Amino acid sequence: MRSGCSSNTGFCRELDDLDSRCVGYGETTVGAGSTGGLCGLGNKIDLIFVRENRLAGSYTADSLAIPTTCTIGACSDHRVVTGTVTVSIN
């Protein structure tokens, strides 16, 4: 994580920060059972950042469920994070 981008403060925005589960934080990105994050949600360790001064419109992100299609059960202990954002390049 780059300096100035932690906890959704400083130079960067975390694209999931508008999620209604916990506005300003978003939803957990770790497997079930963790309650270490804000709003009683689990920790966020998988994030998508964009520099705040490059935002040029709306943005969104989502933490998807952990797939369970692997032969050993859960395929990971991390959730996939997807997002969209419009940025300026000037």
Side-chain angles (χ1 to χ4, degrees):
M1 190 176 309
R2 301 179 90 189
S3 177
C5 293
S6 64
S7 299
N8 207 36
T9 62
F11 300 112
C12 299
R13 298 297 302 189
E14 203 281 307
L15 297 186
D16 189 38
D17 69 345
L18 298 175
D19 190 288
S20 63
R21 290 172 193 85
C22 189
V23 176
Y25 182 74
E27 62 183 309
T28 184
T29 62
V30 297
S34 171
T35 58
L38 296 176
C39 302
L41 298 174
N43 295 323
K44 290 189 75 144
I45 56 176
D46 302 295
L47 309 155
I48 303 172
F49 285 110
V50 66
R51 288 189 61 91
E52 189 171 34
N53 65 348
R54 296 294 186 201
L55 286 172
S58 63
Y59 60 90
T60 186
D62 196 18
S63 172
L64 307 178
I66 296 172
T68 57
T69 55
C70 297
T71 58
I72 58 170
C75 299
S76 176
D77 59 350
H78 295 247
R79 294 172 178 257
V80 172
V81 180
T82 64
T84 60
V85 61
T86 302
V87 297
S88 65
I89 56 172
N90 295 346

